[in-house]
Amino acid sequence: MPSDTPQPAFVLVRPQMGENVGAAARAMWNFGLDRMRIVAPRDGWPNPKAVAMASGAGRLLDEARLAEDLAGAIEDCDFVFATTARPRELTKPVYSPEAAMKLAAEKMAAGEKVAVMFGPERAGLENEDIARANAIISVPVNPEFASLNLGQCVLLTAYEWRRQVTDVAPVVTDLGKSDWASHADVDTLVNHYEDRLDDAGFFFPPDKAPSMKTVFRNMFSRMPLTRADVQMLHGIMRQMVRWKEKRD
């Protein structure tokens, strides 16, 4: 059964190739969407090529709602988007994928049912299809090559939906098996280096030593060090001192 998570239905209108339907299913499931509706697929349904291409998202195909015509596919929806890259003669609000999915999230939070229509691969949705939509989604593609594969268009829209309903940090640092070094860790490291550098006569002449140590400590405070980094730097200094003592 489809999940209980509020989400728009993705309606594939007269898709031509089973492979593209499978790719669309895979793209939807990548971003947590599982409500697919299929209108009059050219090669019939079910389609083994779609299953092969879905690669792990076959459940969406098994549960897909099949409709003979577009009217039947969207009859229960309160607001419908139509995706198209070509200029149309119809007067409708045109949204970017991001803005469209933001609006979809707002409408669904208010209890409305939302659908997004995707046209067949050869030429996209017809004007008769778009006339049934409340708004258009237009992807800012290269005007000299505006044709998007069905799976690609579904992927773009599904990604924007995911961004609206999931907190996505713009930057994340993977710490692996370590953790960030504490101020005490860094302070101990700096003291270790200062002591050894003092022994080596690095902070010279004596009247400049305090300002040099301030700059040295400030350098370490700017670096986002992990505990593993600190341990390695301690080890480097210890090994350098051992090497010097052996040479002496």
Side-chain angles (χ1 to χ4, degrees):
M1 293 290 293
S3 65
D4 294 330
T5 306
Q7 58 179 264
F10 276 23
V11 184
L12 310 188
V13 182
R14 300 182 300 279
Q16 296 171 314
M17 298 177 63
E19 292 90 340
N20 286 332
V21 177
R26 184 173 182 176
M28 288 176 63
W29 193 227
N30 280 150
F31 297 101
L33 292 164
D34 61 359
R35 295 179 190 172
M36 175 182 283
R37 301 181 183 185
I38 305 174
V39 179
R42 184 191 67 181
D43 295 339
W45 197 259
N47 188 309
K49 292 182 178 179
V51 175
M53 193 66 181
S55 184
R59 176 176 71 81
L60 274 69
L61 303 178
D62 294 336
E63 298 169 353
R65 177 170 149 184
L66 192 64
E68 294 183 359
D69 55 33
L70 181 55
I74 60 175
E75 62 183 357
D76 62 333
C77 298
D78 301 299
F79 196 92
V80 178
F81 290 99
T83 59
T84 179
R86 293 186 290 133
R88 305 290 182 163
E89 297 81 21
L90 301 173
T91 300
K92 288 187 185 293
V94 180
Y95 291 83
S96 68
E98 179 181 11
M101 291 302 95
K102 183 176 185 296
L103 179 61
E106 292 170 355
K107 287 185 171 296
M108 298 200 74
E112 295 186 46
K113 290 186 177 181
V114 177
V116 183
M117 300 189 303
F118 300 87
E121 297 89 320
R122 183 182 60 82
L125 294 167
E126 301 292 339
N127 280 358
E128 290 77 8
D129 303 320
I130 297 173
R132 295 180 180 276
N134 302 99
I136 288 172
I137 298 176
S138 183
V139 179
V141 294
N142 176 8
E144 296 181 5
F145 189 61
S147 177
L148 275 177
N149 176 272
L150 173 60
Q152 293 173 325
C153 192
V154 169
L155 181 74
L156 282 169
T157 310
Y159 166 71
E160 292 297 349
W161 168 258
R162 186 72 172 181
R163 289 184 63 208
Q164 298 303 321
V165 298
T166 306
D167 291 330
V168 181
V171 179
V172 177
T173 301
D174 187 350
L175 293 174
K177 297 181 179 180
S178 187
D179 199 357
W180 291 117
S182 67
H183 282 285
D185 294 330
V186 177
D187 190 58
T188 300
L189 175 68
V190 173
N191 290 337
H192 181 192
Y193 268 68
E194 282 188 357
D195 291 344
R196 299 290 78 79
L197 291 171
D198 259 332
D199 294 341
F202 175 77
F203 298 110
F204 183 86
D207 61 309
K208 292 187 178 180
S211 62
M212 292 176 68
K213 289 181 179 180
T214 298
V215 172
F216 183 73
R217 183 172 294 273
N218 187 58
M219 177 183 70
F220 275 95
S221 70
R222 293 200 314 269
M223 290 189 286
L225 296 172
T226 67
R227 288 181 175 172
D229 296 331
V230 168
Q231 291 171 359
M232 178 172 287
L233 288 168
H234 275 300
I236 289 171
M237 179 55 76
R238 283 192 291 265
Q239 188 60 33
M240 290 175 66
V241 171
R242 291 193 194 102
W243 175 80
K244 178 65 168 59
E245 290 173 348
K246 287 180 181 178
R247 288 179 61 86
D248 292 343

